[in-house]
Amino acid sequence: MRLLSRKATCNSHGQDSSYFLGWQEYEKNPFDEITNPKGIIQMGLAENQLSFDLLESWLTKNPDAAGFKSEGESIFRQLALFQDYHGFPAFKNAFVEFMSEIRGNKVSFDPSHLVLTAGATSANETLMFCLAEPGEAFLLPTPYYPGFDRDLKWRTGVEIVPIQCTSSNAFQITEAALLDAYQEAQNRNLRVKGVLVTNPSNPLGTTMTRNELNLLVSFIEAKGIHLISDEIYSGTVFSSPDFVSVMEILKARNYENTDVWNRVHLVNSLSKDLGLPGFRVGAIYSNDDMVVSAATKMSSFGLVSSQTQYLLSAMLSDKKFTKKYIFENQKRLRQRHRMLVSGLEKAGIKCLNSNAGLFCWVDMRHLLKSNTFEAEMELWKNIVYDVKLNISPGSSCHCTEPGWFRVCFANMSEETLELAMQRLKAFVTEYSSTVLGQNMSSSHQSIKNSRRRSITKWVFRLSFDDGRDREPDQR
Amino acid sequence: MAIEIEQPCVGLSKVAVSETHGEDSPYFAGWKAYDENPYDETTNPSGVIQMGLAENQVSFDLLEKYLEEHSEASSWGKGSVSGFRENALFQDYHGLLSFRKAMASFMEQVRGGRAKFDPNRVVLTAGATAANELLTFILADPGDALLVPTPYYPGFDRDLRWRTGVKIVPIHCDSSNNFQITTPALEAAYSEAESMNIKVRGVLITNPSNPLGATVQRSVLEDILDFVTRKNIHLVSDEIYSGSVFSSSEFISVAEILEARQYKNSERVHIVYSLSKDLGLPGFRVGTIYSYNDKVVTTARRMSSFTLISSQTQHLLASMLSDKCFTENYIKINRERLRKRYDMIIEGLRSAGIDCLKGNAGLFCWMNLSPFLEKPTREGELALWNSMVHEVKLNISPGSSCHCSEPGWFRVCFANMSEQTLEVALKRIHNFMVKKRSE
């Protein structure tokens, strides 16, 4: 008899995908400024390392929070024993207020509707267990975070059906794409339970437009399904347009306490905004009491350490600190983003215009030998093994168009980012003239050139649209 | 927008609306009575005393002293926060190496050095609750079964079954031999599953046992190992109470048996452990799976992404558990204090005319009230339990909530309160029994 379960022996954990192979190469030869300056620079890790000094200074000024003390008195025992899956009340209060602050206080949240989980990884999986049966499906816009293949499908048996988005409209979700995805699910005999979006998007680094959000709300209303909005990057929006949460849209449409209201659920975390992925702090927010109740019980399988809940309740309750942190963090992200974008430009590489996240969605289609995923893989291998940069290929994010890559900018020092850009420039110069130049006839070359020009025009237009949504909307 | 409305609103999954989480059972109703009227020495001396919570509160002073003397454990470096960012970023599902080493070494110490543990086989999870569920996902498919000896921890109904879709088939144990697991009982459970067309994937035991408060004997462990080998199935040994054995020499871990067998057939054995009971830190969510099967280790590690331990907590405990001086002292004193509490409750119950199963471990005793039931049935037991909760005002756990096949047994916790409170509880029982005998 087979000794392990089907779940244990299948590949749904996704760890054999290219996304993880790049990491493996990095582990074998990791860059270090001093000890290994020729090593691989990690640009595949969406971490926020820009604002630790702010956290460290707070910790130094507030030693009680990590020292199990409250107003000088030890509360070690209470914390050690506290395993109530309803969560530490002071922490939930501080967390929802922080969520509200990040959303410009345009929406407020009820702490009793917040469920704490060991990271957003756990939150997303838990929501799948609550909302779908094995064999049912959720629709996800592509490109999407590679981890979803594991988080949403592995132990739950739920399927993902992609909502295909393309560069023709900056990868925005369209009504047609939604309907196509829904139909695709029907064709595969999969019952659709909901849509899951990441807003701001990973890997695009863009906030969703009001238009897209309205579209989504109307779609789930019509189909009678759920909407999960993973807003894990909400605190990383560094330039306009402002972040609009789906909750704001529901409010604007007067949907409070309707059926639709009860079918919209948020996922959040402190891993990206505060840069604390190790502390495993995630949350589900739902307006539906039954979802909150079921998710709360399920959180027993992934509770947040009370030691950590206490530390963060103290930190997030310090409103002076959170205000300063949010502002400063966004400023630094903006600067880094600019640095990456201009560095790429010098190498003749454009990105999708973005205003959020810890990465850029980079267009290297002009560097492909052919418009295929094989060519993308080949280019990616060159970049990992020769240029020694670990970036994430679009195919690992289920992008439908070859040639796009996610490149992170917030998980290294400025100097390292500079170095990465220099390496890339050197590579592109050589690659363009040798590899690409050889493979093309002059006519092919001019077609390529004109395509590059029109793409350039389009990207340029986007980058000047800073103050407005990319599509006409109903504002 | 022309989007047709095609079907009625969808609700939640079957898992979400099922009652397999078990929270509507009487086990939890007793807690409700306590929550509504909790005992307090000064402010509510006639309230309900919580004796249904298997917490270890007898050795906190030792932990507090350690923390006072080693502030770097909770603050990322002596007098500074220099290690903070590295720790905050650390989300590797392999877990902090220093913590895994400390955990392996602590597990060795708890077993008096009679078994060795390899840090590379230690997989970290947010509590034993997560570890047990995770192992079930790995070892069994939905519809399959694990055999679990009764009486067992009520939480298993949720942990092993709820989201996994796996079934529990009980291995019936009874008082005729002190509730020990026998080979005929194992065979009977296996046959029962077979007759229902259910595939058995493994046996899960808790050693020391919850709720019995007793260690599993060597010969029984040998029999169980032989059984699972014969049937080509797994063995999960939940050793969460291993550090709560009153006398070190009396606990035999399945790890020792495997070592004695030179690890033959060991790839079917997996140990679950946690710091919730031995160190009294349930809030910190520290559990572990120790598996002798490489594929299980790899898969469990990957799955642990859903239930990682906060790196802040790993750092704290790596420091504490690497301090061999501290751990040796802690294990010894914790054991002595638990034994003292156990002796106190056994004596108190005996003088009230109540017998308990002979125990040697854990945070509770297994009390026999079957002679005092109106009717030797589950209803009789629940009626008596009702009196206990509402008249005597003690929240204890009825054996039926632990799936015990014989009515009248109750689990009574003794380590989650002060000695004074335990005295009060014993006095109340004494008075109740006097009254009952006079009726």
Side-chain angles (χ1 to χ4, degrees):
Chain A
M1 175 169 71
R2 219 183 345 104
L3 217 46
L4 299 187
S5 67
R6 282 188 280 276
K7 288 191 179 71
T9 47
C10 74
N11 273 333
S12 294
H13 50 71
Q15 299 227 180
D16 305 320
S17 89
S18 53
Y19 183 67
F20 295 98
L21 292 174
W23 286 39
Q24 278 173 32
E25 280 314 304
Y26 165 77
E27 304 272 306
K28 289 186 204 159
N29 182 19
F31 170 83
D32 181 279
E33 232 163 306
I34 312 172
T35 65
N36 190 19
K38 294 216 181 74
I40 298 181
I41 297 177
Q42 176 63 283
M43 303 191 87
L45 197 45
E47 278 176 354
N48 180 1
Q49 296 193 23
L50 305 186
S51 304
F52 276 128
D53 56 318
L54 303 176
L55 300 174
E56 285 162 346
S57 117
W58 187 90
L59 287 170
T60 308
K61 295 199 197 101
N62 299 273
D64 274 8
F68 302 101
K69 293 204 175 81
S70 173
E71 286 163 17
E73 294 293 312
S74 169
I75 54 165
F76 175 74
R77 288 177 196 224
Q78 295 93 304
L79 289 176
L81 290 171
F82 187 85
Q83 57 172 329
D84 182 353
Y85 56 28
H86 291 100
F88 200 67
F91 179 47
K92 295 216 307 192
N93 289 339
F95 200 148
V96 299
E97 283 173 9
F98 186 65
M99 280 169 66
S100 208
E101 212 183 326
I102 284 178
R103 286 153 186 73
N105 291 310
K106 285 180 250 161
V107 276
S108 66
F109 299 96
D110 177 353
S112 70
H113 283 258
L114 190 78
V115 180
L116 299 173
T117 60
T121 298
S122 176
N124 280 314
E125 192 200 38
T126 297
L127 271 176
M128 287 300 107
F129 273 121
C130 287
L131 305 178
E133 309 297 339
E136 294 183 336
F138 259 76
L139 310 181
L140 264 67
T142 64
Y144 63 75
Y145 163 56
F148 280 149
D149 288 324
R150 171 197 63 190
D151 300 351
L152 307 182
K153 303 193 321 178
W154 190 15
R155 303 192 305 181
T156 62
V158 172
E159 292 293 339
I160 294 177
V161 174
I163 302 162
Q164 313 288 16
C165 301
T166 69
S167 60
S168 64
N169 71 338
F171 296 95
Q172 286 182 65
I173 300 171
T174 64
E175 188 183 330
L178 281 167
L179 291 171
D180 280 350
Y182 194 88
Q183 184 59 52
E184 159 82 15
Q186 310 273 59
N187 297 343
R188 287 165 57 181
N189 267 320
L190 296 169
R191 181 161 179 223
V192 176
K193 269 327 210 351
V195 178
L196 186 149
V197 299
T198 309
N199 176 27
S201 161
N202 174 13
L204 303 177
T206 53
T207 49
M208 268 195 173
T209 61
R210 280 179 188 271
N211 199 42
E212 283 171 284
L213 290 167
N214 272 307
L215 192 59
L216 282 168
V217 169
S218 300
F219 182 75
I220 65 149
E221 179 176 25
K223 299 297 190 194
I225 59 179
H226 296 276
L227 175 62
I228 298 173
S229 180
D230 183 345
E231 304 190 344
I232 193 179
Y233 288 99
S234 48
T236 65
V237 181
F238 49 77
S239 66
S240 56
D242 282 347
F243 174 61
V244 179
S245 167
V246 66
M247 289 301 182
E248 224 190 294
I249 298 291
L250 292 174
K251 250 179 86 176
R253 286 165 74 149
N254 284 318
Y255 274 28
E256 265 127 323
N257 303 313
T258 61
D259 284 339
V260 175
W261 176 255
N262 283 347
R263 296 200 307 274
V264 175
H265 323 281
L266 301 185
V267 166
N268 220 316
S269 161
L270 298 180
S271 300
K272 309 296 178 182
D273 299 348
L274 287 190
L276 306 173
F279 288 7
R280 313 316 300 146
V281 183
I284 293 168
Y285 187 88
S286 176
N287 295 312
D288 184 327
D289 288 337
M290 273 181 74
V291 172
V292 170
S293 170
T296 300
K297 296 182 170 93
M298 281 190 197
S299 69
S300 301
F301 300 111
L303 294 174
V304 180
S305 168
S306 56
Q307 175 192 21
T308 302
Q309 289 192 51
Y310 180 63
L311 171 69
L312 296 172
S313 74
M315 192 186 279
L316 295 185
S317 306
D318 184 344
K319 301 289 194 258
K320 253 179 77 183
F321 168 75
T322 55
K323 196 159 168 219
K324 178 174 139 202
Y325 181 92
I326 292 172
F327 178 80
E328 185 62 32
N329 182 48
Q330 286 172 359
K331 188 169 133 205
R332 295 177 186 186
L333 288 171
R334 188 167 47 242
Q335 282 166 354
R336 271 307 176 93
H337 170 262
R338 209 172 281 151
M339 215 181 128
L340 176 65
V341 171
S342 67
L344 290 170
E345 258 171 26
K346 293 198 186 96
I349 298 173
K350 299 269 183 249
C351 336
L352 184 71
N353 185 41
S354 64
N355 64 332
L358 309 174
F359 34 72
C360 283
W361 188 236
V362 177
D363 183 359
M364 298 209 208
R365 290 177 293 174
H366 59 296
L367 297 175
L368 294 184
K369 282 194 201 154
S370 60
N371 184 25
T372 61
F373 286 110
E374 288 70 30
E376 177 184 285
M377 268 299 108
E378 214 190 302
L379 176 59
W380 176 67
K381 283 189 184 139
N382 278 328
I383 295 177
V384 172
Y385 294 109
D386 302 333
V387 192
K388 301 228 177 37
L389 302 178
N390 180 36
I391 63 180
S392 311
S395 51
S396 69
C397 303
H398 302 276
C399 187
T400 45
E401 299 173 21
W404 292 87
F405 291 79
R406 189 191 77 169
V407 181
C408 299
F409 56 69
N411 63 308
M412 67 201 69
S413 68
E414 270 190 34
E415 294 73 24
T416 307
L417 185 54
E418 283 285 7
L419 177 60
M421 295 298 94
Q422 283 165 23
R423 286 187 189 177
L424 199 51
K425 182 157 186 289
F427 165 74
V428 171
T429 313
E430 205 202 306
Y431 192 81
S432 300
S433 62
T434 56
V435 178
L436 290 185
Q438 271 168 17
N439 287 350
M440 288 187 230
S441 67
S442 55
S443 61
H444 192 190
Q445 182 72 20
S446 69
I447 288 170
K448 265 221 131 187
N449 280 342
S450 73
R451 179 155 71 91
R452 205 179 308 158
R453 269 197 297 276
S454 59
I455 289 168
T456 306
K457 240 189 347 208
W458 164 79
V459 169
F460 251 95
R461 184 158 26 115
L462 287 180
S463 59
F464 283 110
D465 261 0
D466 254 1
R468 303 190 334 233
D469 286 345
R470 289 183 286 283
E471 273 186 14
D473 64 20
Q474 291 113 344
R475 237 199 298 202
Chain B
M1 274 184 244
I3 302 179
E4 327 158 25
I5 299 188
E6 285 177 14
Q7 54 187 269
C9 293
V10 294
L12 306 188
S13 67
K14 293 204 232 331
V15 161
V17 303
S18 85
E19 283 174 9
T20 315
H21 51 72
E23 295 209 9
D24 305 319
S25 88
Y27 182 65
F28 294 96
W31 287 42
K32 196 160 163 269
Y34 166 78
D35 282 334
E36 286 165 5
N37 182 19
Y39 172 85
D40 181 282
E41 224 165 311
T42 15
T43 64
N44 190 19
S46 59
V48 176
I49 298 178
Q50 176 63 282
M51 302 190 89
L53 198 44
E55 277 177 355
N56 180 0
Q57 295 194 26
V58 309
S59 304
F60 276 131
D61 57 319
L62 302 177
L63 300 175
E64 283 162 337
K65 180 160 178 285
Y66 177 87
L67 289 175
E68 255 164 64
E69 292 168 3
H70 299 88
S71 61
E72 73 280 6
S74 40
S75 70
W76 301 282
K78 276 201 147 49
S80 79
V81 292
S82 54
F84 173 73
R85 60 180 73 187
E86 207 187 313
N87 185 236
L89 287 171
F90 187 86
Q91 59 171 330
D92 180 354
Y93 60 29
H94 288 82
L96 222 48
L97 179 59
S98 57
F99 179 49
R100 276 186 288 126
K101 283 185 171 159
M103 193 56 132
S105 134
F106 187 69
M107 286 170 73
E108 285 173 4
Q109 279 186 290
V110 160
R111 288 156 186 72
R114 294 184 300 272
K116 290 219 71 53
F117 290 96
D118 175 0
N120 292 324
R121 293 192 172 282
V122 172
V123 177
L124 303 173
T125 61
T129 299
N132 281 315
E133 190 201 40
L134 206 149
L135 268 177
T136 307
F137 270 121
I138 291 177
L139 305 179
D141 291 306
D144 292 344
L146 291 178
L147 308 182
V148 183
T150 65
Y152 62 77
Y153 163 56
F156 280 155
D157 287 327
R158 172 198 62 191
D159 300 349
L160 308 181
R161 304 183 320 161
W162 189 19
R163 305 192 304 179
T164 60
V166 171
K167 301 177 167 30
I168 292 176
V169 172
I171 302 162
H172 296 290
C173 302
D174 60 65
S175 59
S176 64
N177 70 339
N178 294 324
F179 295 94
Q180 286 181 86
I181 302 162
T182 65
T183 300
L186 285 162
E187 293 282 0
Y190 192 91
S191 302
E192 193 195 329
E194 267 191 320
S195 71
M196 296 189 286
N197 267 322
I198 298 172
K199 218 188 295 182
V200 174
R201 298 308 283 270
V203 173
L204 188 146
I205 62 172
T206 308
N207 176 27
S209 160
N210 174 12
L212 301 178
T215 55
V216 179
Q217 291 179 16
R218 182 184 292 274
S219 59
V220 176
L221 284 174
E222 302 266 14
D223 286 346
I224 296 173
L225 258 172
D226 291 339
F227 175 78
V228 300
T229 307
R230 242 183 357 259
K231 301 292 191 196
N232 191 23
I233 58 179
H234 295 275
L235 173 61
V236 176
S237 181
D238 185 344
E239 304 190 347
I240 195 178
Y241 291 99
S242 46
S244 312
V245 186
F246 312 145
S247 152
S248 153
S249 55
E250 292 185 30
F251 173 58
I252 295 152
S253 164
V254 70
E256 286 174 60
I257 313 256
L258 290 177
E259 225 175 87
R261 295 183 179 197
Q262 273 121 31
Y263 299 108
K264 199 158 161 276
N265 277 311
S266 61
E267 74 285 348
R268 61 185 72 257
V269 181
H270 325 279
I271 296 175
V272 167
Y273 185 57
S274 159
L275 299 180
S276 299
K277 309 297 177 183
D278 294 346
L279 284 190
L281 305 172
F284 289 6
R285 312 318 299 148
V286 182
T288 157
I289 293 169
Y290 188 91
S291 176
Y292 295 90
N293 182 317
D294 291 346
K295 181 94 198 208
V296 172
V297 171
T298 306
T299 309
R301 215 181 257 147
R302 288 178 176 159
M303 263 192 203
S304 70
S305 300
F306 297 110
T307 183
L308 296 175
I309 301 177
S310 167
S311 53
Q312 177 193 19
T313 301
Q314 291 189 50
H315 168 79
L316 170 74
L317 294 168
S319 167
M320 193 186 276
L321 298 186
S322 317
D323 186 335
K324 296 244 168 79
C325 209
F326 166 77
T327 53
E328 229 178 87
N329 186 50
Y330 179 93
I331 291 170
K332 179 163 155 286
I333 296 188
N334 181 51
R335 228 173 230 153
E336 279 164 16
R337 291 179 181 179
L338 288 175
R339 185 194 10 235
K340 193 163 161 237
R341 282 297 180 98
Y342 174 76
D343 288 342
M344 196 180 144
I345 197 177
I346 291 302
E347 180 51 40
L349 290 174
R350 201 193 53 75
S351 66
I354 298 174
D355 283 328
C356 296
L357 184 76
K358 181 137 190 350
N360 62 349
L363 311 174
F364 34 74
C365 62
W366 189 234
M367 178 173 76
N368 185 10
L369 293 183
S370 60
F372 312 110
L373 297 184
E374 296 278 349
K375 280 189 263 199
T377 60
R378 188 168 176 267
E379 288 67 37
E381 175 186 288
L382 288 177
L384 181 55
W385 175 68
N386 222 4
S387 308
M388 277 297 188
V389 172
H390 295 109
E391 289 171 37
V392 191
K393 301 236 180 36
L394 301 178
N395 180 35
I396 62 181
S397 312
S400 48
S401 68
C402 303
H403 301 277
C404 186
S405 47
E406 288 176 30
W409 291 85
F410 292 80
R411 189 192 77 170
V412 187
C413 298
F414 55 69
N416 62 308
M417 65 198 70
S418 67
E419 270 189 33
Q420 291 80 2
T421 306
L422 185 52
E423 289 283 10
V424 173
L426 288 170
K427 199 170 285 160
R428 288 186 190 179
I429 293 180
H430 188 94
N431 294 341
F432 175 72
M433 292 306 294
V434 164
K435 217 176 92 190
K436 218 170 167 38
R437 273 194 287 272
S438 67
E439 280 166 2

